[in-house]
Amino acid sequence: MLPWGGGIFDLQRSVKAGTALNTRLDHSNPLVFDTHELGRRPGAMQRLSREIAAPADFGLAGVIGVPEGAPVKLSLRLESVMEGVLVTGTARAQAVGECVRCLESVERELKADFQEMFSYPDADDRSRSKAEPADDAEDDEDTLFLEDGLFDLEPVLRDVVVLALPMQPVCREDCLGLCPDCGLSLNDDPDHHHDAVDIRWAALQGLVVTDQDDEKDNMSGTASDGVQGAAEKQEK
């Protein structure tokens, strides 16, 4: 239990509302935006363009994503509404990954559109009294808040980038993949194949080979005996 008796749920709610200790956003962070110039007059609008360096793990881990430090171009429209600031935007970047079929490098132009509401903490307090307790808890989990007029776009971007990327990237739609036996790229040699051997017949093939060898040995032995016999007759 926390000192003020609110429990862990209240701590999470305070962090979301931007009121907990040590949760102030860093104004120098390129993904943190300031809405003070926009003001709180409903209907006011501001357009912003910004190029930022992609943060680490920006995409689908181990599959495809925007490399850390690669440029990401953002085009944003900020609109002041009664509840907060409505952010509509587009992110553009170059994603890099690996073909799931042939393991060759894959590059994709990423374009992710998004729209998110960042609420004023006090506006949330006014609406809280009208909501049922269960609804209040659910809203807190989903709502993003402004913090001293600032908002952090990174969580939103991470979500939309993941949704915009292919879960199973391929170098081309008709990629043939790799040979399951030797790993050769079938794109380079579409006719490549291996003669299939049914393992159920492998033992019998071994017996056939053995019988053939024995037969050859017997034939060789018979021939040797015939030569030796002819030689003995000549001596007599």
Side-chain angles (χ1 to χ4, degrees), residues 28-77:
S28 63
N29 185 334
L31 283 172
V32 171
F33 292 82
D34 192 336
T35 67
H36 286 100
E37 184 177 337
L38 182 67
R40 295 187 60 164
R41 179 172 57 84
M45 185 179 70
Q46 183 181 12
R47 293 185 182 274
L48 299 172
S49 294
R50 184 177 296 182
E51 183 174 303
I52 61 104
D57 304 320
F58 202 48
L60 297 167
V63 181
I64 188 171
V66 181
E68 183 176 1
V72 179
K73 296 181 179 179
L74 302 174
S75 299
L76 305 178
R77 184 181 69 200

Short mmCIF file of all heavy atoms in Angstrom, two decimals, residues 28-77:
data_model
loop_
_atom_site.label_atom_id
_atom_site.label_comp_id
_atom_site.label_asym_id
_atom_site.label_seq_id
_atom_site.Cartn_x
_atom_site.Cartn_y
_atom_site.Cartn_z
N SER A 28 13.21 18.71 -24.43
CA SER A 28 14.22 18.56 -25.49
C SER A 28 14.05 17.28 -26.30
O SER A 28 14.69 17.12 -27.35
CB SER A 28 15.63 18.61 -24.89
OG SER A 28 15.83 17.51 -24.01
N ASN A 29 13.21 16.38 -25.83
CA ASN A 29 12.95 15.15 -26.57
C ASN A 29 12.22 15.49 -27.87
O ASN A 29 11.17 16.14 -27.85
CB ASN A 29 12.09 14.21 -25.71
CG ASN A 29 11.87 12.85 -26.35
OD1 ASN A 29 11.91 12.71 -27.58
ND2 ASN A 29 11.62 11.86 -25.53
N PRO A 30 12.73 15.08 -29.03
CA PRO A 30 12.10 15.45 -30.30
C PRO A 30 10.70 14.87 -30.49
O PRO A 30 9.95 15.34 -31.35
CB PRO A 30 13.07 14.89 -31.36
CG PRO A 30 13.83 13.83 -30.66
CD PRO A 30 13.96 14.28 -29.24
N LEU A 31 10.32 13.87 -29.68
CA LEU A 31 8.98 13.31 -29.78
C LEU A 31 8.03 13.88 -28.73
O LEU A 31 6.90 13.42 -28.59
CB LEU A 31 9.04 11.78 -29.66
CG LEU A 31 9.51 11.07 -30.92
CD1 LEU A 31 9.75 9.59 -30.66
CD2 LEU A 31 8.51 11.26 -32.05
N VAL A 32 8.49 14.89 -28.02
CA VAL A 32 7.64 15.62 -27.08
C VAL A 32 7.26 16.96 -27.71
O VAL A 32 8.12 17.69 -28.19
CB VAL A 32 8.36 15.84 -25.74
CG1 VAL A 32 7.55 16.79 -24.85
CG2 VAL A 32 8.58 14.51 -25.02
N PHE A 33 5.97 17.25 -27.73
CA PHE A 33 5.47 18.45 -28.40
C PHE A 33 4.78 19.38 -27.40
O PHE A 33 4.15 18.92 -26.45
CB PHE A 33 4.49 18.07 -29.51
CG PHE A 33 5.14 17.36 -30.67
CD1 PHE A 33 5.40 15.99 -30.60
CD2 PHE A 33 5.50 18.05 -31.81
CE1 PHE A 33 6.01 15.33 -31.66
CE2 PHE A 33 6.11 17.39 -32.88
CZ PHE A 33 6.36 16.04 -32.80
N ASP A 34 4.92 20.67 -27.67
CA ASP A 34 4.40 21.71 -26.79
C ASP A 34 3.12 22.29 -27.41
O ASP A 34 3.12 22.67 -28.57
CB ASP A 34 5.45 22.81 -26.62
CG ASP A 34 5.11 23.78 -25.52
OD1 ASP A 34 3.92 23.91 -25.18
OD2 ASP A 34 6.04 24.43 -25.00
N THR A 35 2.06 22.35 -26.60
CA THR A 35 0.78 22.87 -27.11
C THR A 35 0.45 24.26 -26.56
O THR A 35 -0.66 24.76 -26.79
CB THR A 35 -0.36 21.90 -26.74
OG1 THR A 35 -0.54 21.89 -25.32
CG2 THR A 35 -0.07 20.50 -27.24
N HIS A 36 1.38 24.89 -25.85
CA HIS A 36 1.07 26.18 -25.24
C HIS A 36 0.73 27.23 -26.31
O HIS A 36 -0.16 28.07 -26.10
CB HIS A 36 2.26 26.68 -24.39
CG HIS A 36 2.39 25.94 -23.10
ND1 HIS A 36 3.31 24.91 -22.91
CD2 HIS A 36 1.71 26.05 -21.92
CE1 HIS A 36 3.21 24.45 -21.68
NE2 HIS A 36 2.24 25.13 -21.06
N GLU A 37 1.43 27.19 -27.42
CA GLU A 37 1.14 28.16 -28.47
C GLU A 37 -0.26 27.97 -29.05
O GLU A 37 -0.91 28.92 -29.48
CB GLU A 37 2.19 28.03 -29.58
CG GLU A 37 2.06 29.06 -30.69
CD GLU A 37 3.15 28.94 -31.74
OE1 GLU A 37 4.22 28.38 -31.41
OE2 GLU A 37 2.95 29.43 -32.86
N LEU A 38 -0.72 26.74 -29.05
CA LEU A 38 -2.07 26.44 -29.55
C LEU A 38 -3.14 27.04 -28.66
O LEU A 38 -4.16 27.55 -29.13
CB LEU A 38 -2.25 24.92 -29.64
CG LEU A 38 -3.58 24.42 -30.20
CD1 LEU A 38 -3.71 24.78 -31.66
CD2 LEU A 38 -3.68 22.90 -30.02
N GLY A 39 -2.89 27.03 -27.35
CA GLY A 39 -3.88 27.55 -26.41
C GLY A 39 -5.02 26.56 -26.19
O GLY A 39 -5.05 25.48 -26.76
N ARG A 40 -5.97 26.98 -25.36
CA ARG A 40 -7.09 26.11 -25.02
C ARG A 40 -8.41 26.61 -25.61
O ARG A 40 -9.48 26.24 -25.16
CB ARG A 40 -7.20 25.96 -23.50
CG ARG A 40 -5.99 25.26 -22.90
CD ARG A 40 -6.15 24.96 -21.42
NE ARG A 40 -7.29 24.09 -21.14
CZ ARG A 40 -7.47 23.45 -19.99
NH1 ARG A 40 -6.58 23.59 -19.02
NH2 ARG A 40 -8.52 22.70 -19.79
N ARG A 41 -8.31 27.41 -26.63
CA ARG A 41 -9.54 27.89 -27.28
C ARG A 41 -9.99 26.86 -28.29
O ARG A 41 -9.29 26.59 -29.27
CB ARG A 41 -9.26 29.24 -27.96
CG ARG A 41 -10.49 29.83 -28.68
CD ARG A 41 -10.18 31.23 -29.14
NE ARG A 41 -9.00 31.27 -30.00
CZ ARG A 41 -9.05 31.04 -31.32
NH1 ARG A 41 -10.19 30.73 -31.90
NH2 ARG A 41 -7.94 31.13 -32.04
N PRO A 42 -11.16 26.25 -28.10
CA PRO A 42 -11.64 25.23 -29.03
C PRO A 42 -11.70 25.76 -30.46
O PRO A 42 -12.14 26.89 -30.70
CB PRO A 42 -13.04 24.89 -28.51
CG PRO A 42 -12.97 25.22 -27.05
CD PRO A 42 -12.08 26.43 -26.96
N GLY A 43 -11.21 24.98 -31.38
CA GLY A 43 -11.20 25.38 -32.78
C GLY A 43 -9.84 25.84 -33.26
O GLY A 43 -9.60 25.91 -34.47
N ALA A 44 -8.95 26.20 -32.35
CA ALA A 44 -7.61 26.63 -32.75
C ALA A 44 -6.85 25.44 -33.34
O ALA A 44 -7.01 24.30 -32.89
CB ALA A 44 -6.86 27.19 -31.55
N MET A 45 -6.01 25.72 -34.33
CA MET A 45 -5.31 24.65 -35.01
C MET A 45 -3.87 25.06 -35.30
O MET A 45 -3.58 26.24 -35.52
CB MET A 45 -6.02 24.29 -36.33
CG MET A 45 -5.41 23.10 -37.04
SD MET A 45 -6.28 22.68 -38.58
CE MET A 45 -5.81 24.09 -39.59
N GLN A 46 -2.99 24.09 -35.28
CA GLN A 46 -1.58 24.32 -35.56
C GLN A 46 -1.03 23.15 -36.37
O GLN A 46 -1.33 21.99 -36.08
CB GLN A 46 -0.80 24.45 -34.24
CG GLN A 46 0.67 24.77 -34.41
CD GLN A 46 1.39 24.86 -33.07
OE1 GLN A 46 0.85 24.49 -32.03
NE2 GLN A 46 2.61 25.36 -33.08
N ARG A 47 -0.25 23.46 -37.41
CA ARG A 47 0.39 22.41 -38.22
C ARG A 47 1.89 22.40 -37.93
O ARG A 47 2.52 23.45 -37.85
CB ARG A 47 0.13 22.65 -39.71
CG ARG A 47 -1.33 22.48 -40.10
CD ARG A 47 -1.51 22.60 -41.61
NE ARG A 47 -2.90 22.49 -42.00
CZ ARG A 47 -3.53 21.35 -42.22
NH1 ARG A 47 -2.87 20.20 -42.09
NH2 ARG A 47 -4.81 21.32 -42.57
N LEU A 48 2.43 21.19 -37.81
CA LEU A 48 3.85 21.03 -37.50
C LEU A 48 4.46 19.97 -38.40
O LEU A 48 3.82 18.98 -38.76
CB LEU A 48 4.04 20.60 -36.04
CG LEU A 48 3.55 21.54 -34.93
CD1 LEU A 48 3.66 20.86 -33.59
CD2 LEU A 48 4.35 22.83 -34.95
N SER A 49 5.70 20.18 -38.77
CA SER A 49 6.49 19.18 -39.49
C SER A 49 7.80 19.01 -38.74
O SER A 49 8.42 19.99 -38.33
CB SER A 49 6.76 19.62 -40.94
OG SER A 49 5.56 19.68 -41.68
N ARG A 50 8.20 17.78 -38.58
CA ARG A 50 9.43 17.53 -37.84
C ARG A 50 10.06 16.23 -38.32
O ARG A 50 9.34 15.27 -38.64
CB ARG A 50 9.15 17.44 -36.33
CG ARG A 50 10.37 17.27 -35.46
CD ARG A 50 10.01 17.27 -33.99
NE ARG A 50 9.46 18.55 -33.55
CZ ARG A 50 9.12 18.82 -32.31
NH1 ARG A 50 9.26 17.87 -31.36
NH2 ARG A 50 8.64 20.00 -31.98
N GLU A 51 11.38 16.21 -38.40
CA GLU A 51 12.11 14.98 -38.73
C GLU A 51 12.89 14.55 -37.50
O GLU A 51 13.67 15.33 -36.96
CB GLU A 51 13.05 15.20 -39.91
CG GLU A 51 13.79 13.92 -40.34
CD GLU A 51 14.60 14.10 -41.61
OE1 GLU A 51 14.02 14.48 -42.65
OE2 GLU A 51 15.83 13.87 -41.55
N ILE A 52 12.66 13.33 -37.09
CA ILE A 52 13.31 12.83 -35.89
C ILE A 52 14.10 11.57 -36.21
O ILE A 52 13.89 10.93 -37.24
CB ILE A 52 12.28 12.58 -34.76
CG1 ILE A 52 11.25 11.51 -35.22
CG2 ILE A 52 11.57 13.85 -34.39
CD1 ILE A 52 11.43 10.17 -34.65
N ALA A 53 15.00 11.21 -35.32
CA ALA A 53 15.75 9.95 -35.47
C ALA A 53 14.95 8.84 -34.80
O ALA A 53 14.47 8.99 -33.68
CB ALA A 53 17.12 10.08 -34.83
N ALA A 54 14.79 7.74 -35.50
CA ALA A 54 13.99 6.63 -34.97
C ALA A 54 14.58 6.11 -33.66
O ALA A 54 15.79 5.91 -33.56
CB ALA A 54 13.93 5.50 -35.99
N PRO A 55 13.74 5.90 -32.66
CA PRO A 55 14.23 5.31 -31.41
C PRO A 55 14.55 3.83 -31.61
O PRO A 55 14.29 3.26 -32.66
CB PRO A 55 13.05 5.50 -30.45
CG PRO A 55 11.85 5.58 -31.34
CD PRO A 55 12.31 6.21 -32.61
N ALA A 56 15.12 3.22 -30.59
CA ALA A 56 15.47 1.80 -30.67
C ALA A 56 14.22 0.95 -30.71
O ALA A 56 13.16 1.32 -30.18
CB ALA A 56 16.34 1.42 -29.47
N ASP A 57 14.33 -0.22 -31.34
CA ASP A 57 13.23 -1.19 -31.38
C ASP A 57 11.95 -0.58 -31.94
O ASP A 57 10.88 -0.72 -31.37
CB ASP A 57 12.97 -1.78 -29.99
CG ASP A 57 14.21 -2.40 -29.39
OD1 ASP A 57 14.96 -3.06 -30.13
OD2 ASP A 57 14.45 -2.23 -28.18
N PHE A 58 12.09 0.08 -33.07
CA PHE A 58 10.96 0.79 -33.67
C PHE A 58 10.36 -0.08 -34.77
O PHE A 58 10.66 0.07 -35.95
CB PHE A 58 11.46 2.12 -34.24
CG PHE A 58 10.39 3.16 -34.41
CD1 PHE A 58 9.51 3.45 -33.39
CD2 PHE A 58 10.27 3.87 -35.59
CE1 PHE A 58 8.54 4.42 -33.53
CE2 PHE A 58 9.30 4.84 -35.75
CZ PHE A 58 8.43 5.12 -34.72
N GLY A 59 9.53 -1.04 -34.38
CA GLY A 59 8.92 -1.95 -35.34
C GLY A 59 8.68 -3.30 -34.72
O GLY A 59 8.46 -3.42 -33.51
N LEU A 60 8.70 -4.33 -35.55
CA LEU A 60 8.49 -5.71 -35.11
C LEU A 60 9.85 -6.34 -34.84
O LEU A 60 10.62 -6.59 -35.77
CB LEU A 60 7.72 -6.49 -36.17
CG LEU A 60 6.30 -6.00 -36.46
CD1 LEU A 60 5.76 -6.64 -37.73
CD2 LEU A 60 5.38 -6.31 -35.29
N ALA A 61 10.13 -6.62 -33.59
CA ALA A 61 11.45 -7.13 -33.21
C ALA A 61 11.79 -8.42 -33.96
O ALA A 61 11.00 -9.36 -33.98
CB ALA A 61 11.49 -7.38 -31.70
N GLY A 62 12.97 -8.44 -34.60
CA GLY A 62 13.43 -9.61 -35.29
C GLY A 62 12.76 -9.88 -36.63
O GLY A 62 13.08 -10.87 -37.29
N VAL A 63 11.85 -9.00 -37.05
CA VAL A 63 11.13 -9.21 -38.31
C VAL A 63 11.38 -8.06 -39.27
O VAL A 63 12.02 -8.21 -40.31
CB VAL A 63 9.61 -9.38 -38.06
CG1 VAL A 63 8.89 -9.63 -39.39
CG2 VAL A 63 9.35 -10.52 -37.10
N ILE A 64 10.90 -6.88 -38.93
CA ILE A 64 11.07 -5.70 -39.77
C ILE A 64 10.83 -4.47 -38.91
O ILE A 64 10.00 -4.48 -37.99
CB ILE A 64 10.10 -5.73 -40.99
CG1 ILE A 64 10.43 -4.60 -41.97
CG2 ILE A 64 8.65 -5.70 -40.53
CD1 ILE A 64 9.67 -4.71 -43.29
N GLY A 65 11.55 -3.40 -39.21
CA GLY A 65 11.38 -2.17 -38.45
C GLY A 65 12.25 -1.06 -39.02
O GLY A 65 13.03 -1.27 -39.95
N VAL A 66 12.10 0.12 -38.44
CA VAL A 66 12.91 1.27 -38.83
C VAL A 66 14.19 1.23 -38.01
O VAL A 66 14.14 1.21 -36.78
CB VAL A 66 12.16 2.59 -38.59
CG1 VAL A 66 13.00 3.77 -39.03
CG2 VAL A 66 10.82 2.58 -39.32
N PRO A 67 15.36 1.18 -38.65
CA PRO A 67 16.62 1.10 -37.90
C PRO A 67 16.78 2.28 -36.95
O PRO A 67 16.37 3.39 -37.26
CB PRO A 67 17.69 1.12 -39.01
CG PRO A 67 16.99 0.66 -40.24
CD PRO A 67 15.59 1.16 -40.12
N GLU A 68 17.38 2.01 -35.81
CA GLU A 68 17.61 3.07 -34.82
C GLU A 68 18.45 4.19 -35.44
O GLU A 68 19.47 3.95 -36.08
CB GLU A 68 18.31 2.50 -33.60
CG GLU A 68 18.53 3.51 -32.50
CD GLU A 68 19.15 2.90 -31.26
OE1 GLU A 68 19.43 1.69 -31.27
OE2 GLU A 68 19.35 3.65 -30.27
N GLY A 69 17.98 5.41 -35.28
CA GLY A 69 18.68 6.56 -35.81
C GLY A 69 18.28 6.96 -37.22
O GLY A 69 18.65 8.03 -37.69
N ALA A 70 17.52 6.10 -37.92
CA ALA A 70 17.08 6.42 -39.28
C ALA A 70 16.06 7.56 -39.23
O ALA A 70 15.32 7.71 -38.25
CB ALA A 70 16.47 5.19 -39.94
N PRO A 71 16.00 8.40 -40.27
CA PRO A 71 15.07 9.54 -40.24
C PRO A 71 13.61 9.11 -40.33
O PRO A 71 13.25 8.22 -41.09
CB PRO A 71 15.48 10.35 -41.47
CG PRO A 71 16.14 9.37 -42.38
CD PRO A 71 16.81 8.37 -41.49
N VAL A 72 12.79 9.74 -39.52
CA VAL A 72 11.34 9.56 -39.55
C VAL A 72 10.71 10.95 -39.72
O VAL A 72 10.95 11.84 -38.90
CB VAL A 72 10.82 8.92 -38.25
CG1 VAL A 72 9.29 8.75 -38.31
CG2 VAL A 72 11.49 7.58 -38.00
N LYS A 73 9.96 11.14 -40.80
CA LYS A 73 9.34 12.43 -41.07
C LYS A 73 7.92 12.45 -40.53
O LYS A 73 7.11 11.57 -40.83
CB LYS A 73 9.35 12.69 -42.58
CG LYS A 73 10.75 12.82 -43.16
CD LYS A 73 10.70 13.11 -44.67
CE LYS A 73 12.12 13.26 -45.23
NZ LYS A 73 12.11 13.53 -46.69
N LEU A 74 7.63 13.47 -39.75
CA LEU A 74 6.32 13.61 -39.13
C LEU A 74 5.61 14.85 -39.66
O LEU A 74 6.20 15.93 -39.75
CB LEU A 74 6.45 13.72 -37.61
CG LEU A 74 7.15 12.57 -36.89
CD1 LEU A 74 7.32 12.92 -35.40
CD2 LEU A 74 6.37 11.28 -37.05
N SER A 75 4.35 14.67 -40.01
CA SER A 75 3.49 15.79 -40.38
C SER A 75 2.29 15.75 -39.45
O SER A 75 1.54 14.76 -39.42
CB SER A 75 3.03 15.67 -41.84
OG SER A 75 4.13 15.69 -42.73
N LEU A 76 2.11 16.82 -38.65
CA LEU A 76 1.09 16.81 -37.61
C LEU A 76 0.13 17.98 -37.75
O LEU A 76 0.50 19.06 -38.22
CB LEU A 76 1.75 16.88 -36.23
CG LEU A 76 2.80 15.83 -35.87
CD1 LEU A 76 3.35 16.10 -34.48
CD2 LEU A 76 2.21 14.44 -35.96
N ARG A 77 -1.10 17.73 -37.31
CA ARG A 77 -2.09 18.79 -37.17
C ARG A 77 -2.64 18.72 -35.75
O ARG A 77 -3.19 17.70 -35.34
CB ARG A 77 -3.22 18.62 -38.18
CG ARG A 77 -4.24 19.76 -38.15
CD ARG A 77 -5.36 19.52 -39.15
NE ARG A 77 -6.19 18.40 -38.71
CZ ARG A 77 -6.99 17.70 -39.54
NH1 ARG A 77 -7.01 17.98 -40.84
NH2 ARG A 77 -7.72 16.71 -39.07
#
